[in-house]
PDB file of all heavy atoms in Angstrom:
ATOM      1  N   ASN A  83     -20.659 -15.723   5.878  1.00  0.00           N
ATOM      2  CA  ASN A  83     -20.823 -14.329   5.495  1.00  0.00           C
ATOM      3  C   ASN A  83     -20.068 -13.550   6.576  1.00  0.00           C
ATOM      4  O   ASN A  83     -20.411 -13.597   7.752  1.00  0.00           O
ATOM      5  CB  ASN A  83     -22.317 -13.981   5.479  1.00  0.00           C
ATOM      6  CG  ASN A  83     -22.583 -12.542   5.135  1.00  0.00           C
ATOM      7  OD1 ASN A  83     -23.383 -11.871   5.775  1.00  0.00           O
ATOM      8  ND2 ASN A  83     -21.920 -12.020   4.124  1.00  0.00           N
ATOM      9  N   GLY A  84     -18.991 -12.865   6.119  1.00  0.00           N
ATOM     10  CA  GLY A  84     -17.989 -12.337   7.049  1.00  0.00           C
ATOM     11  C   GLY A  84     -18.500 -11.258   7.998  1.00  0.00           C
ATOM     12  O   GLY A  84     -19.621 -10.753   7.863  1.00  0.00           O
ATOM     13  N   GLY A 108     -14.364 -13.826  -4.415  1.00  0.00           N
ATOM     14  CA  GLY A 108     -14.889 -14.554  -3.253  1.00  0.00           C
ATOM     15  C   GLY A 108     -16.156 -13.877  -2.767  1.00  0.00           C
ATOM     16  O   GLY A 108     -16.247 -13.438  -1.626  1.00  0.00           O
ATOM     17  N   TYR A 114     -21.601  -8.445   0.420  1.00  0.00           N
ATOM     18  CA  TYR A 114     -20.618  -7.342   0.351  1.00  0.00           C
ATOM     19  C   TYR A 114     -20.440  -6.851  -1.095  1.00  0.00           C
ATOM     20  O   TYR A 114     -20.055  -5.704  -1.305  1.00  0.00           O
ATOM     21  CB  TYR A 114     -19.299  -7.753   1.013  1.00  0.00           C
ATOM     22  CG  TYR A 114     -19.503  -7.979   2.501  1.00  0.00           C
ATOM     23  CD1 TYR A 114     -19.454  -9.256   3.060  1.00  0.00           C
ATOM     24  CD2 TYR A 114     -19.822  -6.914   3.332  1.00  0.00           C
ATOM     25  CE1 TYR A 114     -19.702  -9.465   4.415  1.00  0.00           C
ATOM     26  CE2 TYR A 114     -20.079  -7.104   4.687  1.00  0.00           C
ATOM     27  CZ  TYR A 114     -20.019  -8.377   5.221  1.00  0.00           C
ATOM     28  OH  TYR A 114     -20.286  -8.569   6.567  1.00  0.00           O
ATOM     29  N   GLU A 132     -16.957 -15.844  -7.949  1.00  0.00           N
ATOM     30  CA  GLU A 132     -17.118 -16.819  -6.865  1.00  0.00           C
ATOM     31  C   GLU A 132     -16.752 -18.203  -7.403  1.00  0.00           C
ATOM     32  O   GLU A 132     -17.228 -18.616  -8.447  1.00  0.00           O
ATOM     33  CB  GLU A 132     -18.564 -16.781  -6.331  1.00  0.00           C
ATOM     34  CG  GLU A 132     -18.920 -17.862  -5.342  1.00  0.00           C
ATOM     35  CD  GLU A 132     -17.948 -18.031  -4.165  1.00  0.00           C
ATOM     36  OE1 GLU A 132     -17.642 -17.054  -3.471  1.00  0.00           O
ATOM     37  OE2 GLU A 132     -17.489 -19.187  -3.959  1.00  0.00           O
ATOM     38  N   PHE A 133     -15.899 -18.892  -6.650  1.00  0.00           N
ATOM     39  CA  PHE A 133     -15.380 -20.191  -7.088  1.00  0.00           C
ATOM     40  C   PHE A 133     -16.438 -21.295  -6.987  1.00  0.00           C
ATOM     41  O   PHE A 133     -16.555 -22.144  -7.873  1.00  0.00           O
ATOM     42  CB  PHE A 133     -14.169 -20.548  -6.210  1.00  0.00           C
ATOM     43  CG  PHE A 133     -13.474 -21.788  -6.643  1.00  0.00           C
ATOM     44  CD1 PHE A 133     -12.624 -21.772  -7.731  1.00  0.00           C
ATOM     45  CD2 PHE A 133     -13.675 -22.983  -5.970  1.00  0.00           C
ATOM     46  CE1 PHE A 133     -11.982 -22.929  -8.147  1.00  0.00           C
ATOM     47  CE2 PHE A 133     -13.038 -24.147  -6.381  1.00  0.00           C
ATOM     48  CZ  PHE A 133     -12.192 -24.114  -7.470  1.00  0.00           C
ATOM     49  N   LEU A 137     -22.788 -21.305  -5.029  1.00  0.00           N
ATOM     50  CA  LEU A 137     -22.838 -19.928  -4.503  1.00  0.00           C
ATOM     51  C   LEU A 137     -22.878 -18.923  -5.649  1.00  0.00           C
ATOM     52  O   LEU A 137     -23.611 -17.927  -5.585  1.00  0.00           O
ATOM     53  CB  LEU A 137     -21.639 -19.656  -3.589  1.00  0.00           C
ATOM     54  CG  LEU A 137     -21.598 -20.443  -2.276  1.00  0.00           C
ATOM     55  CD1 LEU A 137     -20.376 -20.042  -1.462  1.00  0.00           C
ATOM     56  CD2 LEU A 137     -22.873 -20.213  -1.479  1.00  0.00           C
ATOM     57  N   GLY A 156     -15.808 -18.993 -11.044  1.00  0.00           N
ATOM     58  CA  GLY A 156     -14.456 -19.403 -11.417  1.00  0.00           C
ATOM     59  C   GLY A 156     -13.440 -18.988 -10.367  1.00  0.00           C
ATOM     60  O   GLY A 156     -13.794 -18.501  -9.292  1.00  0.00           O
ATOM     61  N   ASP A 157     -12.182 -19.202 -10.728  1.00  0.00           N
ATOM     62  CA  ASP A 157     -11.062 -18.872  -9.842  1.00  0.00           C
ATOM     63  C   ASP A 157     -10.677 -17.410 -10.102  1.00  0.00           C
ATOM     64  O   ASP A 157     -10.211 -17.075 -11.202  1.00  0.00           O
ATOM     65  CB  ASP A 157      -9.909 -19.834 -10.166  1.00  0.00           C
ATOM     66  CG  ASP A 157      -8.639 -19.502  -9.391  1.00  0.00           C
ATOM     67  OD1 ASP A 157      -8.556 -18.418  -8.783  1.00  0.00           O
ATOM     68  OD2 ASP A 157      -7.724 -20.330  -9.434  1.00  0.00           O
ATOM     69  N   GLY A 158     -10.872 -16.586  -9.105  1.00  0.00           N
ATOM     70  CA  GLY A 158     -10.660 -15.143  -9.251  1.00  0.00           C
ATOM     71  C   GLY A 158      -9.225 -14.750  -9.532  1.00  0.00           C
ATOM     72  O   GLY A 158      -8.952 -13.592  -9.839  1.00  0.00           O
ATOM     73  N   ASN A 172     -11.608 -11.600  -0.909  1.00  0.00           N
ATOM     74  CA  ASN A 172     -12.219 -12.050   0.363  1.00  0.00           C
ATOM     75  C   ASN A 172     -11.871 -13.478   0.717  1.00  0.00           C
ATOM     76  O   ASN A 172     -12.680 -14.191   1.320  1.00  0.00           O
ATOM     77  CB  ASN A 172     -13.747 -11.921   0.289  1.00  0.00           C
ATOM     78  CG  ASN A 172     -14.259 -10.531   0.561  1.00  0.00           C
ATOM     79  OD1 ASN A 172     -15.453 -10.296   0.507  1.00  0.00           O
ATOM     80  ND2 ASN A 172     -13.363  -9.587   0.865  1.00  0.00           N
ATOM     81  N   PHE A 238     -11.390 -17.796   5.249  1.00  0.00           N
ATOM     82  CA  PHE A 238     -11.512 -18.969   4.371  1.00  0.00           C
ATOM     83  C   PHE A 238     -10.405 -18.946   3.302  1.00  0.00           C
ATOM     84  O   PHE A 238     -10.133 -17.904   2.712  1.00  0.00           O
ATOM     85  CB  PHE A 238     -12.891 -18.903   3.698  1.00  0.00           C
ATOM     86  CG  PHE A 238     -13.346 -20.169   3.052  1.00  0.00           C
ATOM     87  CD1 PHE A 238     -13.998 -21.150   3.798  1.00  0.00           C
ATOM     88  CD2 PHE A 238     -13.131 -20.388   1.700  1.00  0.00           C
ATOM     89  CE1 PHE A 238     -14.427 -22.324   3.194  1.00  0.00           C
ATOM     90  CE2 PHE A 238     -13.560 -21.559   1.092  1.00  0.00           C
ATOM     91  CZ  PHE A 238     -14.217 -22.529   1.845  1.00  0.00           C
ATOM     92  N   CYS A 240      -8.128 -19.205  -0.068  1.00  0.00           N
ATOM     93  CA  CYS A 240      -8.352 -18.847  -1.476  1.00  0.00           C
ATOM     94  C   CYS A 240      -7.923 -20.007  -2.364  1.00  0.00           C
ATOM     95  O   CYS A 240      -6.754 -20.407  -2.375  1.00  0.00           O
ATOM     96  CB  CYS A 240      -7.557 -17.591  -1.826  1.00  0.00           C
ATOM     97  SG  CYS A 240      -7.976 -16.937  -3.446  1.00  0.00           S
ATOM     98  N   GLU A 241      -8.856 -20.511  -3.112  1.00  0.00           N
ATOM     99  CA  GLU A 241      -8.623 -21.627  -4.030  1.00  0.00           C
ATOM    100  C   GLU A 241      -7.621 -21.208  -5.109  1.00  0.00           C
ATOM    101  O   GLU A 241      -7.762 -20.138  -5.687  1.00  0.00           O
ATOM    102  CB  GLU A 241      -9.978 -21.968  -4.677  1.00  0.00           C
ATOM    103  CG  GLU A 241     -10.115 -23.318  -5.265  1.00  0.00           C
ATOM    104  CD  GLU A 241     -10.087 -24.430  -4.227  1.00  0.00           C
ATOM    105  OE1 GLU A 241     -10.757 -24.317  -3.189  1.00  0.00           O
ATOM    106  OE2 GLU A 241      -9.363 -25.410  -4.493  1.00  0.00           O
TER     107      GLU A 241
HETATM  108  C1  SAM B   1     -14.772 -16.127   3.588  1.00  0.00           C
HETATM  109  S1  SAM B   1     -15.857 -16.588   2.278  1.00  0.00           S
HETATM  110  C2  SAM B   1     -16.504 -14.970   2.081  1.00  0.00           C
HETATM  111  C3  SAM B   1     -17.727 -14.856   1.270  1.00  0.00           C
HETATM  112  C4  SAM B   1     -18.266 -13.428   1.203  1.00  0.00           C
HETATM  113  N1  SAM B   1     -17.264 -12.452   0.943  1.00  0.00           N
HETATM  114  C5  SAM B   1     -19.045 -13.093   2.456  1.00  0.00           C
HETATM  115  O1  SAM B   1     -18.463 -12.551   3.397  1.00  0.00           O
HETATM  116  O2  SAM B   1     -20.212 -13.418   2.462  1.00  0.00           O
HETATM  117  C6  SAM B   1     -14.700 -16.770   0.941  1.00  0.00           C
HETATM  118  C7  SAM B   1     -15.343 -17.052  -0.392  1.00  0.00           C
HETATM  119  O3  SAM B   1     -14.301 -17.069  -1.380  1.00  0.00           O
HETATM  120  C8  SAM B   1     -14.585 -18.091  -2.312  1.00  0.00           C
HETATM  121  N2  SAM B   1     -13.304 -18.378  -2.990  1.00  0.00           N
HETATM  122  C9  SAM B   1     -12.236 -19.057  -2.513  1.00  0.00           C
HETATM  123  N3  SAM B   1     -11.245 -19.053  -3.424  1.00  0.00           N
HETATM  124  C10 SAM B   1     -11.691 -18.364  -4.500  1.00  0.00           C
HETATM  125  C11 SAM B   1     -11.120 -18.023  -5.758  1.00  0.00           C
HETATM  126  N4  SAM B   1      -9.887 -18.389  -6.113  1.00  0.00           N
HETATM  127  N5  SAM B   1     -11.877 -17.310  -6.625  1.00  0.00           N
HETATM  128  C12 SAM B   1     -13.134 -16.911  -6.300  1.00  0.00           C
HETATM  129  N6  SAM B   1     -13.728 -17.225  -5.125  1.00  0.00           N
HETATM  130  C13 SAM B   1     -13.019 -17.928  -4.225  1.00  0.00           C
HETATM  131  C14 SAM B   1     -15.153 -19.213  -1.464  1.00  0.00           C
HETATM  132  O4  SAM B   1     -15.887 -20.142  -2.236  1.00  0.00           O
HETATM  133  C15 SAM B   1     -16.014 -18.423  -0.479  1.00  0.00           C
HETATM  134  O5  SAM B   1     -17.309 -18.249  -0.955  1.00  0.00           O
END
Side-chain angles (χ1 to χ4, degrees):
N83 178 225
Y114 295 110
E132 172 51 53
F133 185 78
L137 293 182
D157 175 348
N172 278 179
F238 195 85
C240 189
E241 201 67 45

